[in-house]
């Protein structure tokens, strides 16, 4: 709740304006029964029509004030809750951007999506509700209690019984509800995860005719979400009628007592019943908003978890010089796994050098390069750039000098130009085109009717795999990085195009260090030196020729790809 209060505090002005209008509305509500009691006990009893009309008009006027108060209060409440929601989402979004892959793996992307969308919506609902009802209900309740106490003190014992029982029921409802709403949000995470996986892999699902399995997984997640929803709603459904019943029994007891001992003024009895009804509604509303509070508090806890997540440690904004990339006895184990993905990695890449990385699938190639921009931090050992431990560098500065073109080209909805420009927002169109040319993408882009203005669907659905990879490489080049990492991102290109792209990258000005991961020996052969990896370890390091002589793993890959013909040629 502290988190919600902190965000509401930023809009204290609007919040208190809402409270002001709420006070007008509440006062109008509380005045009406008192006026009515006066009209009945004086105007009606004495058959004074003039007085009835005068007070009737006054009651109308008060009702009009109340209505204006309600409208204004609603406007203020909506503005504040929407603004709080937007600010919370923006803060979450910015925070997520600063997190490392390690943080994101731990929090899980589907859960992050639920927290940014649904959890914030729960908080928004509560903020809105609290300004509309939360304040009004207790104030009305308190006002009504005071009036009952002043006007009919003999009803105090019964009032205490009603308030104690109802208060106890509201607390029990909150205590049980909190856990259930927490579970409900977790089930929503799970449902989002299944939907996300299905949508991302829809082509594969269709290709392998795995719709039935996916349907079963979705059905299971949707079923669990529905069950959790029913369980949470059942708590409210159990307690709300009990609270209503308590207050209604109080009203029945009040009327019953008046039948035994008729009151002197019938108007006072009417006012008392009216106030009891107001107490009933207020308690029912308090119980409702407490449900929302419980749900919002569970959601706020989940939102806070992201906001309080510690991103990779960032130390100062110090600049550093680019040079070699050195791994010194680096080992790494993913969180939640026991087997190291990398073990005792030591090598040095010199400025301007191209380092090829090859090895069987799962060898640790991608993991190794992801440690350079600190997407993950090494479990042990040190990585230095220009002689400096990267853990001592500012993560933002470090990443601004590194382009990592991932295995799977990630394109966003928007034009091709916008997608490439992600590499460097300030680049001119000429620079975007230059990057396109270097990535051998310019020709096919200029072949589209809208050229660089061609709009890509989400994930780049309207371009081929090879075209996506070239757009993604162009984005990486546009940044003009000091370190360029190409993580198997030329796999969908034919051999000639791949050779052309790599040649262009070599020719680019600047003394950049390039890491070139590939499963294809023909690709890494072009590198200055090659790391041959297996089971998270470096099995060999050297030029193509050196490895062919000394590294059995490299020889095995070479002969399996180039074939026995090459083996014979070598023997000759
Ligand atoms: P490929 O050529 O198939 O891309 P790779 O050589 O790049 O493989 P990595 O992706 O680095 O291999 O994976 C190395 C090991 O780490 C594998 O055993 C993999 O299962 C594991 N691994 C990779 N990513 C994660 C992760 N996010 N969480 C846990 N384990 C992971």
């Amino acid at each position: 709740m502290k988190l919600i209060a902190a965000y509401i505090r930023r809009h204290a002005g609007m919040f208190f304006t809402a409270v002001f209008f709420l006070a007008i509305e509440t006062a109008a509500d509380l005045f009406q029964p008192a006026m009515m009691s006066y009209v009945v006990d004086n105007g009606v009893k004495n058959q004074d029509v003039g007085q009835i009309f005068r007070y009737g008009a006054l009651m109308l006027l008060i009702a009009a004030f109340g209505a204006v108060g309600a409208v204004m209060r609603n406007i203020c409440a909506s503005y504040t809750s929407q603004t709080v929601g937007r600010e919370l989402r923006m803060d979450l979004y910015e925070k997520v951007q600063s997190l490392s892959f390690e943080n994101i793996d731990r929090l899980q992307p589907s859960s992050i999506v639920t927290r940014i969308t649904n959890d914030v919506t729960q908080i928004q609902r509560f903020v809105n509700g609290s300004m509309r009802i939360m304040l009004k209900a207790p104030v009305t309740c308190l006002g009504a209690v005071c009036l009952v106490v002043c006007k009919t003190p003999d009803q105090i014992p019964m009032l205490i019984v009603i308030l104690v029982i109802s208060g106890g029921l509201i607390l029990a409802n909150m205590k049980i509800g909190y856990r259930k709403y927490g579970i409900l949000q977790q089930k929503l995470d799970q449902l989002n995860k299944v939907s996300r996986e299905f949508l991302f892999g829809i082509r594969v699902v269709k290709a392998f005719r795995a719709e039935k399995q996916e349907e079963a997984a979705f059905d299971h997640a949707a079923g669990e979400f529905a069950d959790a929803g029913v369980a949470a709603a059942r708590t409210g459904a159990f307690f709300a009628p009990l609270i209503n019943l308590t207050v209604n029994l109080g009203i029945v007891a009040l009327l019953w007592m008046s039948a035994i001992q008729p009151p002197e003024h019938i108007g006072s009895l009417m006012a008392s019943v009216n106030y009891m009804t107001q107490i009933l509604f207020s308690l029912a509303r308090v119980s409702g908003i407490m449900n929302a509070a419980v749900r919002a508090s569970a959601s706020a806890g989940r939102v806070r978890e992201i906001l309080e997540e510690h991103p990779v440690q960032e130390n100062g904004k110090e600049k550093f010089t680019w040079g070699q990339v050195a791994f010194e006895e680096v080992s790494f184990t993913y969180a939640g796994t026991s087997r190291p993905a990398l073990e005792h990695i030591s090598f040095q890449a010199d400025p301007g050098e191209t380092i090829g990385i090859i090895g069987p699938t799962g060898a640790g190639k991608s993991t190794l390069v992801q440690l350079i921009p600190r997407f993950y931090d090494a479990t042990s050992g040190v990585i230095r750039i220009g002689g400096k431990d990267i853990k001592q560098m500012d993560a933002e500065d470090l990443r601004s000098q590194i382009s990592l073109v991932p295995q799977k080209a990630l394109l966003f909805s928007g034009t091709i130009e916008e997608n490439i420009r992600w590499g460097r927002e300030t680049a001119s169109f000429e620079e975007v085109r230059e990057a396109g040319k270097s990535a051998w993408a310019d020709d096919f882009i200029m072949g589209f009717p809208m050229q660089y203005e061609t709009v890509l669907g989400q994930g780049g659905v309207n371009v081929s795999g090879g075209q996506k990879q070239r757009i993604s490489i162009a984005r990486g080049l546009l940044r003009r990085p000091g370190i360029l990492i190409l993580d198997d991102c030329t796999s969908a290109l034919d051999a000639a195009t791949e050779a052309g792209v790599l040649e262009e990258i070599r020719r680019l000005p600047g003394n950049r260090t390039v890491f070139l991961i590939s499963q294809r020996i023909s690709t890494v052969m072009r590198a200055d030196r090659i790391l041959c990896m297996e089971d998270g370890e470096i099995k060999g390091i050297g030029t193509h020729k050196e490895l062919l002589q000394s590294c059995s793993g490299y020889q095995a890959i070479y002969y399996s790809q180039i074939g026995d013909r090459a083996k014979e040629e070598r023997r000759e």
Side-chain angles (χ1 to χ4, degrees), residues 443-515:
D443 279 353
F444 80 79
I445 296 173
M446 293 308 278
F448 291 143
M450 296 296 289
Q451 303 182 338
Y452 278 79
E453 291 296 303
T454 305
V455 176
L456 299 176
Q458 195 180 16
V461 282
N462 44 349
V463 282
S464 76
Q467 289 171 337
K468 267 191 232 177
Q469 285 193 334
R470 279 178 280 169
I471 294 173
S472 172
I473 294 171
R475 177 197 290 156
L477 295 179
L478 185 66
R479 172 167 283 189
R480 295 191 190 139
I483 296 173
L484 176 65
I485 301 168
L486 302 171
D487 184 357
D488 210 1
C489 61
T490 52
S491 56
L493 306 185
D494 60 76
T497 311
E498 184 187 46
V501 173
L502 296 177
E503 196 44 46
E504 281 293 336
I505 292 175
R506 255 184 192 287
R507 277 210 293 258
L508 285 174
N511 208 16
R512 88 184 41 76
T513 310
V514 179
F515 289 90

Side-chain angles (χ1 to χ4, degrees), residues 107-115 189-190 192-194 196:
L107 290 164
Q108 293 205 357
S110 50
S111 176
I112 294 176
V113 172
T114 318
R115 294 174 205 218
D189 280 352
Q190 198 54 30
N192 277 348
K193 185 168 172 231
V194 175
R196 194 170 171 270

Side-chain angles (χ1 to χ4, degrees), residues 3 6-7 10 83-99 116 120 303 306-308:
L3 176 87
Y7 277 83
R10 294 186 192 175
T83 315
V84 164
R86 198 190 62 198
E87 287 175 354
L88 253 175
R89 288 200 172 99
M90 272 320 294
D91 289 350
L92 282 170
Y93 188 77
E94 276 170 21
K95 182 71 188 201
V96 170
Q97 282 189 325
S98 75
L99 296 180
I116 294 180
V120 173
V303 164
I306 298 187
L307 293 176
E308 288 176 358

Side-chain angles (χ1 to χ4, degrees), residues 362-527:
K365 305 181 293 293
S366 301
T367 306
L368 185 145
V369 292
Q370 285 179 357
L371 299 186
I372 303 172
R374 293 187 66 198
F375 289 156
Y376 297 96
D377 273 335
T379 316
S380 66
V382 182
I383 301 170
R384 296 184 197 277
I385 292 180
K388 191 161 185 184
D389 182 350
I390 57 170
K391 283 191 184 165
Q392 306 301 322
M393 292 178 180
D394 174 65
E396 216 174 289
D397 280 350
L398 176 71
R399 289 176 195 158
S400 71
Q401 293 291 338
I402 300 173
S403 268
L404 192 154
V405 186
Q407 231 167 14
K408 192 169 175 285
L410 289 173
L411 300 183
F412 304 91
S413 335
T415 65
I416 292 180
E417 185 188 339
E418 283 164 356
N419 265 279
I420 298 179
R421 202 181 280 282
W422 262 63
R424 186 158 45 94
E425 289 293 333
T426 51
S428 66
F429 176 67
E430 283 65 37
E431 288 172 319
V432 170
R433 245 198 109 177
E434 271 312 308
K437 281 181 188 163
S438 301
W440 276 42
D442 189 64
D443 279 353
F444 80 79
I445 296 173
M446 293 308 278
F448 291 143
M450 296 296 289
Q451 303 182 338
Y452 278 79
E453 291 296 303
T454 305
V455 176
L456 299 176
Q458 195 180 16
V461 282
N462 44 349
V463 282
S464 76
Q467 289 171 337
K468 267 191 232 177
Q469 285 193 334
R470 279 178 280 169
I471 294 173
S472 172
I473 294 171
R475 177 197 290 156
L477 295 179
L478 185 66
R479 172 167 283 189
R480 295 191 190 139
I483 296 173
L484 176 65
I485 301 168
L486 302 171
D487 184 357
D488 210 1
C489 61
T490 52
S491 56
L493 306 185
D494 60 76
T497 311
E498 184 187 46
V501 173
L502 296 177
E503 196 44 46
E504 281 293 336
I505 292 175
R506 255 184 192 287
R507 277 210 293 258
L508 285 174
N511 208 16
R512 88 184 41 76
T513 310
V514 179
F515 289 90
L516 174 64
I517 297 182
S518 179
Q519 301 274 3
R520 293 203 289 227
I521 206 132
S522 55
T523 308
V524 292
M525 265 165 68
R526 296 170 219 279

